[in-house]
Amino acid sequence: MPAITADTLTLPRIAAPKASDTERPVRSITTGPRGYEGEGFPVVRAFAGVSAADLDPFVHMDQMGEVEYQPGEPRGTDWHPHRGFETVTYMIDGRFAHQDSHGGGGLITDGATQWMTAGSGILHIETPPAELVESGGTFHGIQLWVNLPRTDKFATPKYQAIEGNEAKLLSSQDGGSLVRIIAGEIDGAQGPGATHTPITMAHATVEPGAQLNLPWNRDFNALVYVLSGRGSVGPVGHPIHQGQLAVFGPGDRITVTAEGTQDSNRPALEILLLGGRPIREPVFHYGPFVMNSKAELIQALEDYQSGKFGQIPADALMPHRPFN
């Protein structure tokens, strides 16, 4: 995985637990079903089967790939609308091009994150660049939807480009894990992402046999999704593997341990750590809109159809379809 790497022995270490700290127990482990998104790229529906209350403030997450495309196969999405939440695209391996109707855009590549606040309404596209479509190659990433509270549903749309080398890096106490903080705070270290809803998002690599034990904000929920590899989670050591999501109960710290032996093509346990302060407001979710009522969903659809989300730019990026 080409997401940003570093020598863990030279990084700040996460502090050991205090005597008063409590371990968060595992509340559930679910397996995400596989499906297809956009123009046909494969995804794992990471949050399937998990209650909205356990996920709050998160709404939806897909693991995109990991897939090795042949020439002509890479797919993305065409232009589409969003309102009422933030979309987060984290590219672990490969390249995705983004453009939106409010002037945001760029290339998201190995370890970079695109953070788009849809707010009052936006049109955007995410698609592999033409050269990747022609050549084929590895594609692996995460698409996460973060809800916005009622007070921010109609915020002005915003775009943040977070490069891989901007993530805040930490090492576990035993030096066997690399933690990349994309947004929020872990053990006093702050990630670069600016969010309306208080959350923490991090990608950790846990080497075979190593254990990651880290503090977690008591006011946040706690989720661990396995991108690849095998290991265990929580104080009891519940087994977990690629495509599974662990939901934790209350407490001060999270523990994740990698199995001593991993598959040859999965040399370490790769996990996504997520948590946020629950919004605890009604959620009405329909397609690309996440609102507080059915009436607001209907209004969002009408506003989109009447052109209030902006216009597709004259120089618009479009999906590249090679000549057959």
Side-chain angles (χ1 to χ4, degrees):
M1 287 192 177
I4 195 73
T5 59
D7 181 359
T8 57
L9 300 180
T10 66
L11 295 174
R13 300 288 179 98
I14 294 171
K18 300 189 294 287
S20 59
D21 285 347
T22 58
E23 286 285 327
R24 285 183 175 242
V26 174
R27 182 176 288 163
S28 67
I29 294 178
T30 51
T31 302
R34 296 184 178 273
Y36 291 89
E37 189 55 80
E39 294 197 313
F41 58 89
V43 298
V44 177
R45 307 292 191 187
F47 290 167
V50 183
S51 74
D54 283 340
L55 296 173
D56 187 13
F58 306 107
V59 178
H60 169 84
M61 190 171 82
D62 282 338
Q63 180 180 9
M64 306 180 295
E66 178 177 4
V67 60
E68 185 69 30
Y69 280 123
Q70 295 301 307
E73 289 184 343
R75 297 287 186 270
T77 68
D78 210 330
W79 284 89
H80 59 283
H82 288 303
R83 172 181 276 180
F85 64 102
E86 298 184 295
T87 69
V88 182
T89 304
Y90 174 50
M91 285 305 299
I92 299 166
D93 197 347
R95 289 164 286 162
F96 228 19
H98 167 96
Q99 188 179 22
D100 65 50
S101 57
H102 281 256
L107 189 65
I108 319 163
T109 188
D110 302 342
T113 303
Q114 162 232 275
W115 204 293
M116 187 183 78
T117 303
S120 60
I122 199 168
L123 307 176
H124 85 140
I125 183 174
E126 289 178 309
T127 188
E131 63 271 18
L132 180 62
V133 176
E134 293 290 348
S135 67
T138 304
F139 181 81
H140 188 199
I142 288 289
Q143 168 102 158
L144 172 69
W145 291 10
V146 185
N147 197 12
L148 288 170
R150 190 189 312 272
T151 53
D152 292 328
K153 286 289 186 193
F154 290 87
T156 301
K158 179 182 175 182
Y159 179 83
Q160 300 173 70
I162 304 169
E163 298 303 324
N165 58 11
E166 294 177 326
K168 183 66 176 178
L169 305 182
L170 296 177
S171 171
S172 59
Q173 187 68 24
D174 64 5
S177 303
L178 171 63
V179 179
R180 310 162 187 85
I181 309 174
I182 297 164
E185 176 267 338
I186 295 175
D187 200 29
Q190 187 74 36
T195 69
H196 283 270
T197 304
I199 72 163
T200 294
M201 175 181 178
H203 169 200
T205 301
V206 187
E207 296 298 329
Q211 183 176 89
L212 174 62
N213 178 272
L214 72 168
W216 206 251
N217 189 326
R218 286 189 67 93
D219 295 335
F220 286 12
N221 63 351
L223 312 171
V224 168
Y225 177 75
V226 179
L227 297 163
S228 69
R230 300 185 308 275
S232 60
V233 288
V236 178
H238 295 272
I240 195 167
H241 58 76
Q242 191 276 328
Q244 292 190 313
L245 178 81
V247 176
F248 290 78
D252 301 297
R253 299 183 75 91
I254 296 172
T255 296
V256 181
T257 305
E259 280 193 14
T261 303
Q262 302 286 333
D263 296 340
S264 59
N265 61 336
R266 299 285 189 273
L269 176 65
E270 302 280 350
I271 60 170
L272 196 72
L273 298 142
L274 294 170
R277 183 176 297 133
I279 297 173
R280 297 192 177 95
E281 292 177 356
V283 175
F284 282 74
H285 174 200
Y286 179 75
F289 311 123
V290 181
M291 306 305 295
N292 291 120
S293 69
K294 184 177 179 180
E296 289 177 342
L297 285 179
I298 294 171
Q299 187 64 55
L301 184 59
E302 291 176 350
D303 287 349
Y304 163 58
Q305 291 174 338
S306 64
K308 292 182 180 180
F309 284 23
Q311 301 297 320
I312 296 175
D315 62 344
L317 181 68
M318 290 293 177
H320 178 72
R321 297 179 177 91
F323 178 76
N324 291 322

PDB file of all heavy atoms in Angstrom, residues 166-168 181-186 189-194 201:
ATOM      1  N   GLU A 166       0.962  15.424   4.445  1.00  0.00           N
ATOM      2  CA  GLU A 166       0.444  16.369   5.428  1.00  0.00           C
ATOM      3  C   GLU A 166      -0.187  15.671   6.630  1.00  0.00           C
ATOM      4  O   GLU A 166      -0.464  16.313   7.650  1.00  0.00           O
ATOM      5  CB  GLU A 166      -0.585  17.291   4.770  1.00  0.00           C
ATOM      6  CG  GLU A 166       0.001  18.213   3.719  1.00  0.00           C
ATOM      7  CD  GLU A 166      -1.041  19.058   3.036  1.00  0.00           C
ATOM      8  OE1 GLU A 166      -2.176  18.578   2.839  1.00  0.00           O
ATOM      9  OE2 GLU A 166      -0.724  20.218   2.700  1.00  0.00           O
ATOM     10  N   ALA A 167      -0.434  14.363   6.528  1.00  0.00           N
ATOM     11  CA  ALA A 167      -1.002  13.628   7.651  1.00  0.00           C
ATOM     12  C   ALA A 167      -0.032  13.651   8.829  1.00  0.00           C
ATOM     13  O   ALA A 167       1.191  13.610   8.655  1.00  0.00           O
ATOM     14  CB  ALA A 167      -1.311  12.194   7.240  1.00  0.00           C
ATOM     15  N   LYS A 168      -0.587  13.718  10.031  1.00  0.00           N
ATOM     16  CA  LYS A 168       0.238  13.672  11.243  1.00  0.00           C
ATOM     17  C   LYS A 168       0.563  12.221  11.549  1.00  0.00           C
ATOM     18  O   LYS A 168      -0.323  11.362  11.621  1.00  0.00           O
ATOM     19  CB  LYS A 168      -0.524  14.301  12.413  1.00  0.00           C
ATOM     20  CG  LYS A 168       0.272  14.360  13.707  1.00  0.00           C
ATOM     21  CD  LYS A 168       1.459  15.294  13.592  1.00  0.00           C
ATOM     22  CE  LYS A 168       2.197  15.414  14.921  1.00  0.00           C
ATOM     23  NZ  LYS A 168       3.382  16.285  14.814  1.00  0.00           N
ATOM     24  N   ILE A 181      -2.805  10.313  11.001  1.00  0.00           N
ATOM     25  CA  ILE A 181      -4.012  11.048  11.389  1.00  0.00           C
ATOM     26  C   ILE A 181      -4.380  12.001  10.262  1.00  0.00           C
ATOM     27  O   ILE A 181      -3.623  12.915   9.931  1.00  0.00           O
ATOM     28  CB  ILE A 181      -3.802  11.836  12.701  1.00  0.00           C
ATOM     29  CG1 ILE A 181      -3.234  10.935  13.796  1.00  0.00           C
ATOM     30  CG2 ILE A 181      -5.118  12.466  13.157  1.00  0.00           C
ATOM     31  CD1 ILE A 181      -2.858  11.682  15.062  1.00  0.00           C
ATOM     32  N   ILE A 182      -5.559  11.788   9.676  1.00  0.00           N
ATOM     33  CA  ILE A 182      -6.032  12.614   8.571  1.00  0.00           C
ATOM     34  C   ILE A 182      -6.858  13.782   9.099  1.00  0.00           C
ATOM     35  O   ILE A 182      -6.768  14.901   8.600  1.00  0.00           O
ATOM     36  CB  ILE A 182      -6.839  11.753   7.585  1.00  0.00           C
ATOM     37  CG1 ILE A 182      -5.920  10.670   6.982  1.00  0.00           C
ATOM     38  CG2 ILE A 182      -7.464  12.602   6.472  1.00  0.00           C
ATOM     39  CD1 ILE A 182      -6.663   9.550   6.299  1.00  0.00           C
ATOM     40  N   ALA A 183      -7.674  13.527  10.099  1.00  0.00           N
ATOM     41  CA  ALA A 183      -8.495  14.567  10.719  1.00  0.00           C
ATOM     42  C   ALA A 183      -8.694  14.235  12.185  1.00  0.00           C
ATOM     43  O   ALA A 183      -8.653  13.066  12.583  1.00  0.00           O
ATOM     44  CB  ALA A 183      -9.846  14.686  10.027  1.00  0.00           C
ATOM     45  N   GLY A 184      -8.888  15.270  12.997  1.00  0.00           N
ATOM     46  CA  GLY A 184      -9.108  15.056  14.417  1.00  0.00           C
ATOM     47  C   GLY A 184      -7.818  14.880  15.190  1.00  0.00           C
ATOM     48  O   GLY A 184      -6.730  15.205  14.698  1.00  0.00           O
ATOM     49  N   GLU A 185      -7.941  14.331  16.406  1.00  0.00           N
ATOM     50  CA  GLU A 185      -6.809  14.311  17.347  1.00  0.00           C
ATOM     51  C   GLU A 185      -6.667  12.938  17.988  1.00  0.00           C
ATOM     52  O   GLU A 185      -7.659  12.281  18.315  1.00  0.00           O
ATOM     53  CB  GLU A 185      -7.051  15.383  18.420  1.00  0.00           C
ATOM     54  CG  GLU A 185      -6.021  15.439  19.523  1.00  0.00           C
ATOM     55  CD  GLU A 185      -6.407  14.604  20.732  1.00  0.00           C
ATOM     56  OE1 GLU A 185      -7.619  14.320  20.922  1.00  0.00           O
ATOM     57  OE2 GLU A 185      -5.500  14.222  21.499  1.00  0.00           O
ATOM     58  N   ILE A 186      -5.429  12.489  18.124  1.00  0.00           N
ATOM     59  CA  ILE A 186      -5.089  11.273  18.858  1.00  0.00           C
ATOM     60  C   ILE A 186      -3.899  11.572  19.746  1.00  0.00           C
ATOM     61  O   ILE A 186      -2.849  12.018  19.256  1.00  0.00           O
ATOM     62  CB  ILE A 186      -4.759  10.093  17.915  1.00  0.00           C
ATOM     63  CG1 ILE A 186      -5.990   9.678  17.103  1.00  0.00           C
ATOM     64  CG2 ILE A 186      -4.235   8.891  18.711  1.00  0.00           C
ATOM     65  CD1 ILE A 186      -5.718   8.599  16.067  1.00  0.00           C
ATOM     66  N   ALA A 189      -1.993  14.772  19.212  1.00  0.00           N
ATOM     67  CA  ALA A 189      -1.526  15.073  17.855  1.00  0.00           C
ATOM     68  C   ALA A 189      -2.733  15.347  16.963  1.00  0.00           C
ATOM     69  O   ALA A 189      -3.709  14.587  16.974  1.00  0.00           O
ATOM     70  CB  ALA A 189      -0.712  13.914  17.297  1.00  0.00           C
ATOM     71  N   GLN A 190      -2.659  16.416  16.164  1.00  0.00           N
ATOM     72  CA  GLN A 190      -3.794  16.880  15.373  1.00  0.00           C
ATOM     73  C   GLN A 190      -3.572  16.630  13.894  1.00  0.00           C
ATOM     74  O   GLN A 190      -2.517  16.955  13.344  1.00  0.00           O
ATOM     75  CB  GLN A 190      -4.006  18.384  15.606  1.00  0.00           C
ATOM     76  CG  GLN A 190      -5.247  18.960  14.982  1.00  0.00           C
ATOM     77  CD  GLN A 190      -6.514  18.576  15.725  1.00  0.00           C
ATOM     78  OE1 GLN A 190      -6.517  18.478  16.955  1.00  0.00           O
ATOM     79  NE2 GLN A 190      -7.597  18.364  14.985  1.00  0.00           N
ATOM     80  N   GLY A 191      -4.580  16.066  13.225  1.00  0.00           N
ATOM     81  CA  GLY A 191      -4.519  15.879  11.788  1.00  0.00           C
ATOM     82  C   GLY A 191      -4.884  17.147  11.041  1.00  0.00           C
ATOM     83  O   GLY A 191      -5.442  18.091  11.618  1.00  0.00           O
ATOM     84  N   PRO A 192      -4.592  17.227   9.741  1.00  0.00           N
ATOM     85  CA  PRO A 192      -4.778  18.464   8.973  1.00  0.00           C
ATOM     86  C   PRO A 192      -6.211  18.752   8.535  1.00  0.00           C
ATOM     87  O   PRO A 192      -6.532  19.887   8.183  1.00  0.00           O
ATOM     88  CB  PRO A 192      -3.886  18.247   7.743  1.00  0.00           C
ATOM     89  CG  PRO A 192      -3.876  16.759   7.562  1.00  0.00           C
ATOM     90  CD  PRO A 192      -3.905  16.187   8.952  1.00  0.00           C
ATOM     91  N   GLY A 193      -7.096  17.766   8.508  1.00  0.00           N
ATOM     92  CA  GLY A 193      -8.445  17.977   7.999  1.00  0.00           C
ATOM     93  C   GLY A 193      -9.272  18.886   8.887  1.00  0.00           C
ATOM     94  O   GLY A 193      -9.294  18.733  10.106  1.00  0.00           O
ATOM     95  N   ALA A 194      -9.954  19.858   8.276  1.00  0.00           N
ATOM     96  CA  ALA A 194     -10.858  20.758   9.004  1.00  0.00           C
ATOM     97  C   ALA A 194     -12.283  20.274   8.792  1.00  0.00           C
ATOM     98  O   ALA A 194     -12.737  20.154   7.647  1.00  0.00           O
ATOM     99  CB  ALA A 194     -10.696  22.189   8.502  1.00  0.00           C
ATOM    100  N   MET A 201     -10.270  10.673  12.152  1.00  0.00           N
ATOM    101  CA  MET A 201     -10.095   9.698  11.083  1.00  0.00           C
ATOM    102  C   MET A 201      -8.608   9.418  10.931  1.00  0.00           C
ATOM    103  O   MET A 201      -7.807  10.336  10.792  1.00  0.00           O
ATOM    104  CB  MET A 201     -10.667  10.235   9.772  1.00  0.00           C
ATOM    105  CG  MET A 201     -10.430   9.332   8.568  1.00  0.00           C
ATOM    106  SD  MET A 201     -11.121  10.075   7.040  1.00  0.00           S
ATOM    107  CE  MET A 201     -10.623   8.836   5.823  1.00  0.00           C
TER     108      MET A 201
END
